[in-house]
Amino acid sequence: MELFSAVFWLALVKIVFIDLMLAGDNAIVIGLAARNLHPSVQKKAILYGTAGALVIRIVATVVVLWLLKVPWLLLVGGVLLIWIAYKLLADQGEEHSDVKAGSSLWVAVRTIVIADAAMGLDNVIAVAGAAEQHLVLVIIGLLISVPIIVWGSTLFIKLINHFPWIIYLGAIVLGYTASHMITEERRLSPFFTEHPALRILFIVLVVAGVVFAGYRKRSSSRQGGEHQRSYS
């Protein structure tokens, strides 16, 4: 992949979009960790905590990029990403009451960094897959998306709530990235190269399966919630 080519820019847009789609929990954690601090200190906690989380995220993604070169791990990463895409649609949002608010600047910063590292595995795998093992793409993508996550996460979450189809678009992008990773696995790539029609069919089936399974799960969860409210 050549730097700043059309393919490069397309992959960069995909990385930023994926990071934004998977950033909801991270944005909530940042807010909860800093909620008890004085307003004059909150901005510092968010800034320092995000900077530390960004460094860890870059290092973790570089490690994953290296691991994806190991035989069959590209396949494993693709399967994990399919699960992540499904969870993006299936999850109705979880409570984060277990995230303790920091009582001081550095306690809040530590909470943000640790929580982001624990919750950021999905982002790391997704970004590594979308970058197609291109380190420059990873760094540029994270440098663009992380500030947007910090300062624009509330707006983005509101957009998702107002336009639910954005969630499905994100799942489609993740499903495509996952299936592309699997077809690029060195042990499987020759087969898909010889049978391009099967490669396209496989990608379509993965994307359709993710969307259908996620939609069914969301529908059943929504119906279960309505039944529970009707009995209460």
Side-chain angles (χ1 to χ4, degrees):
M1 183 188 303
E2 295 183 5
L3 286 177
F4 308 117
S5 63
V7 176
F8 178 92
W9 288 114
L10 182 61
L12 181 59
V13 170
K14 188 164 61 172
I15 287 174
V16 173
F17 182 74
I18 286 173
D19 244 345
L20 290 176
M21 288 303 307
L22 297 175
D25 284 349
N26 305 72
I28 293 171
V29 165
I30 290 173
L32 290 176
R35 69 184 182 273
N36 285 348
L37 298 177
H38 189 273
S40 61
V41 184
Q42 280 182 347
K43 291 183 179 179
K44 288 184 179 180
I46 292 173
L47 181 62
Y48 296 160
T50 303
L54 174 60
V55 172
I56 293 177
R57 189 77 63 83
I58 291 176
V59 172
T61 308
V62 170
V63 172
V64 172
L65 282 175
W66 177 77
L67 288 175
L68 289 180
K69 297 179 181 179
V70 177
W72 296 113
L73 279 185
L74 205 59
L75 171 64
V76 174
V79 173
L80 286 175
L81 194 51
I82 291 174
W83 174 249
I84 291 168
Y86 165 74
K87 293 290 287 182
L88 177 66
L89 284 178
D91 285 349
Q92 296 297 309
E94 300 176 351
E95 294 295 329
H96 296 275
S97 56
D98 56 331
V99 179
K100 297 181 180 179
S103 56
S104 67
L105 171 62
W106 295 112
V107 171
V109 169
R110 183 186 64 192
T111 301
I112 291 171
V113 172
I114 294 175
D116 184 85
M119 297 168 57
L121 180 61
D122 53 355
N123 302 61
V124 169
I125 294 174
V127 168
E132 298 182 18
Q133 304 182 24
H134 203 295
L135 179 58
V136 175
L137 266 175
V138 170
I139 296 176
I140 295 177
L142 290 175
L143 289 175
I144 292 174
S145 58
V146 169
I148 296 176
I149 292 169
V150 176
W151 288 292
S153 55
T154 303
L155 174 61
F156 194 74
I157 291 172
K158 288 180 179 178
L159 284 174
I160 291 176
N161 290 333
H162 194 65
F163 302 106
W165 56 265
I166 296 178
I167 294 275
Y168 288 92
L169 181 59
I172 289 172
V173 172
L174 288 172
Y176 171 80
T177 301
S179 55
H180 180 72
M181 286 174 64
I182 294 173
T183 59
E184 289 297 311
E185 165 60 47
R186 282 180 289 178
R187 299 296 191 276
L188 302 176
S189 180
F191 172 80
F192 286 110
T193 301
E194 293 178 5
H195 305 86
L198 290 180
R199 181 178 185 272
I200 295 173
L201 178 62
F202 174 76
I203 292 174
V204 170
L205 287 176
V206 169
V207 172
V210 165
V211 172
F212 177 74
Y215 174 79
R216 286 288 301 274
K217 177 62 176 178
R218 285 172 68 92
S219 298
S220 61
S221 298
R222 192 179 300 115
Q223 291 173 1
E226 292 175 353
H227 285 308
Q228 188 174 10
R229 283 193 296 269
S230 65
Y231 284 118
S232 59

